[in-house]
Coordinates of all heavy atoms in Angstrom, one line a residue:
Q297 N 57.2 36.7 44.7 CA 57.4 38.1 45.0 C 57.3 39.0 44.0 O 58.2 39.2 43.1 CB 58.9 38.1 45.8 CG 59.2 39.6 46.3 CD 58.2 39.9 47.4 OE1 58.1 39.4 48.4 NE2 57.4 41.1 47.3
P298 N 56.0 39.6 43.8 CA 55.8 40.6 42.6 C 56.7 41.7 42.7 O 57.2 42.1 43.8 CB 54.4 40.9 42.8 CG 53.8 39.9 43.6 CD 54.9 39.3 44.5
G299 N 57.0 42.3 41.6 CA 57.9 43.6 41.7 C 58.7 43.6 40.5 O 58.6 42.9 39.4
V300 N 59.7 44.5 40.5 CA 60.5 44.9 39.2 C 61.9 44.4 39.6 O 62.4 44.6 40.6 CB 60.6 46.4 38.9 CG1 61.5 46.6 37.8 CG2 59.2 46.9 38.7
V301 N 62.5 43.6 38.6 CA 63.9 43.1 38.7 C 64.6 43.8 37.6 O 64.4 43.7 36.4 CB 64.0 41.6 38.5 CG1 65.4 41.2 38.5 CG2 63.2 40.8 39.6
G302 N 65.7 44.6 38.1 CA 66.6 45.3 37.3 C 68.0 44.9 37.5 O 68.4 43.7 37.6
V303 N 68.9 45.9 37.4 CA 70.4 45.7 37.6 C 70.6 44.8 38.8 O 71.6 43.9 38.9 CB 71.1 46.9 37.5 CG1 72.6 46.7 37.7 CG2 71.0 47.6 36.1
G305 N 69.2 42.7 40.1 CA 69.0 41.2 40.0 C 70.2 40.4 39.6 O 70.2 39.2 39.9
A402 N 54.7 32.1 32.4 CA 54.8 32.6 31.1 C 55.7 33.7 31.1 O 55.6 34.6 31.9 CB 53.3 33.1 30.7
V403 N 56.6 33.6 30.1 CA 57.6 34.8 29.9 C 57.6 35.2 28.4 O 58.0 34.5 27.6 CB 59.1 34.3 30.2 CG1 60.0 35.4 30.2 CG2 59.1 33.6 31.6
F404 N 57.0 36.4 28.3 CA 56.9 36.9 26.8 C 57.7 38.1 26.6 O 57.9 39.0 27.6 CB 55.3 37.3 26.7 CG 54.9 38.0 25.4 CD1 54.3 37.2 24.5 CD2 55.4 39.2 25.0 CE1 54.0 37.7 23.1 CE2 55.1 39.8 23.7 CZ 54.4 39.0 22.8
Y423 N 48.3 43.8 24.7 CA 49.1 43.0 25.5 C 48.3 42.8 26.9 O 48.3 41.6 27.5 CB 50.4 43.6 25.9 CG 51.4 42.8 26.7 CD1 52.1 41.7 26.1 CD2 51.6 43.1 28.1 CE1 52.9 41.0 27.0 CE2 52.5 42.3 28.9 CZ 53.0 41.3 28.3 OH 53.8 40.6 29.1
F439 N 53.4 35.2 35.6 CA 53.9 36.0 34.4 C 55.1 36.7 34.9 O 55.3 37.2 35.9 CB 52.9 37.1 33.9 CG 52.1 36.7 32.8 CD1 50.9 36.0 32.9 CD2 52.7 37.0 31.5 CE1 50.1 35.7 31.6 CE2 51.8 36.5 30.3 CZ 50.6 36.0 30.3
V440 N 56.2 36.6 33.9 CA 57.3 37.5 33.9 C 57.3 38.3 32.7 O 57.3 37.8 31.5 CB 58.6 36.6 33.9 CG1 59.8 37.7 33.7 CG2 58.9 35.8 35.1
H441 N 56.9 39.6 32.9 CA 56.9 40.6 31.8 C 58.2 41.1 31.5 O 59.1 41.3 32.5 CB 56.0 41.7 32.1 CG 54.6 41.3 32.6 ND1 53.6 40.8 31.8 CD2 54.1 41.1 33.9 CE1 52.6 40.5 32.5 NE2 52.9 40.6 33.8
I442 N 58.6 41.5 30.2 CA 60.0 41.9 30.0 C 59.8 43.3 29.2 O 59.1 43.3 28.1 CB 60.7 40.9 29.1 CG1 60.9 39.6 29.8 CG2 62.1 41.5 28.7 CD1 61.6 38.5 29.0
T443 N 60.5 44.3 29.7 CA 60.4 45.5 29.1 C 61.0 45.5 27.6 O 62.0 44.8 27.5 CB 61.0 46.7 29.9 OG1 62.3 46.4 30.1 CG2 60.2 46.9 31.2
P444 N 60.4 46.0 26.6 CA 60.9 45.9 25.3 C 62.4 46.4 25.1 O 62.7 47.4 25.6 CB 60.0 46.8 24.4 CG 58.8 46.9 25.2 CD 59.1 46.9 26.6
V462 N 56.3 52.1 26.8 CA 55.6 50.8 27.1 C 56.3 50.0 28.2 O 55.6 49.3 29.1 CB 55.6 50.0 25.7 CG1 55.2 48.5 26.1 CG2 54.8 50.6 24.7
G463 N 57.7 50.2 28.3 CA 58.2 49.6 29.5 C 57.8 50.2 30.8 O 57.5 49.4 31.8
Q464 N 57.7 51.4 30.8 CA 57.1 52.0 32.1 C 55.7 51.7 32.4 O 55.3 51.4 33.6 CB 57.2 53.6 32.0 CG 56.9 54.3 33.3 CD 57.8 54.0 34.5 OE1 59.0 54.0 34.3 NE2 57.3 53.5 35.6
W465 N 55.0 51.6 31.3 CA 53.5 51.1 31.5 C 53.5 49.8 32.1 O 52.6 49.4 33.0 CB 52.8 51.2 30.2 CG 51.5 50.5 30.2 CD1 50.2 51.1 30.5 CD2 51.2 49.2 29.7 NE1 49.3 50.1 30.4 CE2 49.9 49.0 29.8 CE3 52.0 48.2 29.1 CZ2 49.2 47.8 29.5 CZ3 51.4 47.0 28.8 CH2 50.0 46.9 28.9
M466 N 54.4 48.8 31.5 CA 54.3 47.4 32.1 C 54.7 47.5 33.6 O 53.9 46.9 34.4 CB 55.4 46.6 31.4 CG 55.0 46.1 30.1 SD 56.5 45.0 29.4 CE 55.7 44.5 27.9
K467 N 55.7 48.3 34.0 CA 55.9 48.3 35.5 C 54.8 48.9 36.3 O 54.4 48.3 37.3 CB 57.2 49.1 35.6 CG 58.5 48.4 35.1 CD 59.8 49.2 35.3 CE 59.9 50.3 34.3 NZ 61.3 51.1 34.5
D468 N 54.2 49.9 35.9 CA 53.0 50.6 36.5 C 51.9 49.6 36.5 O 51.1 49.5 37.6 CB 52.6 51.9 35.7 CG 53.7 53.0 36.0 OD1 54.6 52.8 36.9 OD2 53.7 53.9 35.1
T469 N 51.6 48.8 35.4 CA 50.4 48.0 35.4 C 50.5 46.7 36.1 O 49.6 46.1 36.7 CB 50.1 47.8 33.9 OG1 50.0 49.0 33.1 CG2 48.8 46.9 33.6
F470 N 51.7 46.0 36.2 CA 51.9 44.6 36.6 C 52.6 44.6 37.9 O 52.9 43.4 38.4 CB 52.4 43.8 35.5 CG 51.5 43.7 34.4 CD1 52.1 44.3 33.1 CD2 50.4 43.1 34.3 CE1 51.3 44.3 31.9 CE2 49.6 43.1 33.1 CZ 49.9 43.7 32.0
K471 N 53.3 45.6 38.4 CA 54.3 45.4 39.5 C 53.7 44.9 40.7 O 54.4 44.3 41.6 CB 55.0 46.7 39.8 CG 54.2 47.8 40.2 CD 54.9 49.1 40.4 CE 54.1 50.2 41.0 NZ 54.8 51.5 41.0
N472 N 52.4 45.0 41.0 CA 51.8 44.6 42.2 C 51.3 43.1 42.2 O 51.0 42.5 43.2 CB 50.6 45.5 42.7 CG 51.1 46.8 43.0 OD1 52.1 47.0 43.6 ND2 50.3 47.8 42.6
T473 N 51.3 42.5 40.9 CA 50.7 41.2 40.8 C 51.7 40.2 40.3 O 51.7 39.0 40.5 CB 49.4 41.2 40.0 OG1 49.8 41.8 38.6 CG2 48.3 42.0 40.7
D474 N 52.6 40.7 39.3 CA 53.5 39.9 38.6 C 55.0 40.4 38.8 O 55.1 41.3 39.5 CB 53.2 39.9 37.2 CG 51.7 39.4 36.9 OD1 51.2 38.6 37.5 OD2 51.1 40.1 35.9
V475 N 55.9 39.7 38.1 CA 57.3 40.0 38.1 C 57.6 40.7 36.8 O 57.2 40.2 35.7 CB 58.2 38.9 38.4 CG1 59.7 39.3 38.3 CG2 58.0 38.3 39.8
I476 N 58.3 41.9 36.8 CA 58.7 42.6 35.5 C 60.2 42.5 35.5 O 60.9 43.0 36.4 CB 58.3 44.0 35.4 CG1 56.7 44.0 35.5 CG2 58.8 44.6 34.1 CD1 56.2 44.3 36.9
F477 N 60.8 41.9 34.5 CA 62.2 41.9 34.2 C 62.6 43.2 33.4 O 62.1 43.2 32.2 CB 62.7 40.7 33.5 CG 64.1 40.8 33.0 CD1 65.1 41.4 33.6 CD2 64.4 40.3 31.7 CE1 66.4 41.5 33.1 CE2 65.7 40.4 31.0 CZ 66.7 41.0 31.9
D478 N 63.1 44.3 34.0 CA 63.3 45.4 33.4 C 64.6 45.4 32.6 O 65.6 45.9 33.0 CB 63.3 46.6 34.5 CG 63.3 48.0 33.8 OD1 63.2 48.0 32.6 OD2 63.2 48.9 34.6
L479 N 64.4 44.8 31.4 CA 65.6 44.7 30.4 C 66.1 46.0 30.0 O 67.3 46.2 30.0 CB 65.1 43.9 29.3 CG 66.2 43.8 28.1 CD1 67.3 43.1 28.5 CD2 65.6 43.0 27.0
Q480 N 65.3 47.0 29.9 CA 65.7 48.4 29.6 C 66.7 49.0 30.7 O 67.6 49.6 30.4 CB 64.5 49.3 29.4 CG 63.7 48.9 28.1 CD 62.5 49.8 28.1 OE1 62.2 50.6 28.8 NE2 61.6 49.5 27.0
A481 N 66.2 48.8 31.9 CA 67.2 49.3 32.9 C 68.5 48.6 32.9 O 69.5 49.2 33.3 CB 66.5 48.9 34.4
V482 N 68.6 47.3 32.7 CA 69.9 46.7 32.5 C 70.6 47.1 31.4 O 71.9 47.3 31.5 CB 69.7 45.2 32.7 CG1 71.0 44.4 32.6 CG2 68.9 44.7 33.8
A533 N 69.8 38.4 35.6 CA 68.7 39.2 36.1 C 67.4 38.6 35.6 O 66.4 38.5 36.3 CB 68.8 40.7 35.6
L534 N 67.4 38.0 34.3 CA 66.2 37.3 33.8 C 66.0 36.0 34.7 O 64.8 35.7 35.1 CB 66.3 36.8 32.4 CG 65.4 35.9 31.9 CD1 63.9 36.5 31.9 CD2 65.7 35.5 30.4
Y536 N 66.9 35.6 37.7 CA 66.3 35.9 39.0 C 64.9 36.4 39.0 O 64.2 36.1 39.9 CB 67.2 37.1 39.7 CG 67.0 37.4 41.0 CD1 67.4 36.5 42.0 CD2 66.3 38.6 41.4 CE1 67.0 36.8 43.3 CE2 66.0 38.8 42.7 CZ 66.4 38.0 43.7 OH 66.1 38.2 45.0
A537 N 64.6 37.0 37.9 CA 63.1 37.3 37.9 C 62.2 36.1 37.8 O 61.2 36.0 38.4 CB 62.8 38.1 36.5
I538 N 62.6 35.0 37.1 CA 61.8 33.8 37.1 C 61.9 33.1 38.5 O 60.9 32.7 39.0 CB 62.6 32.7 36.1 CG1 62.4 33.3 34.6 CG2 61.8 31.4 36.2 CD1 63.2 32.4 33.6
Q540 N 62.0 34.8 41.3 CA 61.1 35.7 42.1 C 59.7 35.2 42.0 O 58.9 35.4 42.9 CB 61.2 37.1 41.8 CG 62.6 37.8 42.3 CD 62.6 37.9 43.8 OE1 62.9 37.0 44.5 NE2 62.1 39.0 44.3
V541 N 59.4 34.7 40.7 CA 58.0 34.3 40.5 C 57.5 33.2 41.4 O 56.4 33.0 41.8 CB 57.8 33.9 39.1 CG1 56.5 33.0 38.9 CG2 57.8 35.2 38.2

Side-chain angles (χ1 to χ4, degrees):
Q297 181 62 58
V300 179
V301 175
V303 173
V403 186
F404 180 101
Y423 186 75
F439 259 90
V440 174
H441 310 280
I442 301 180
T443 56
V462 172
Q464 186 60 52
W465 169 83
M466 281 184 172
K467 290 181 282 187
D468 293 340
T469 304
F470 301 111
K471 65 183 178 182
N472 293 324
T473 56
D474 304 323
V475 175
I476 300 93
F477 167 40
D478 195 354
L479 176 58
Q480 293 176 2
V482 184
L534 170 61
Y536 189 71
I538 296 173
Q540 286 291 88
V541 165

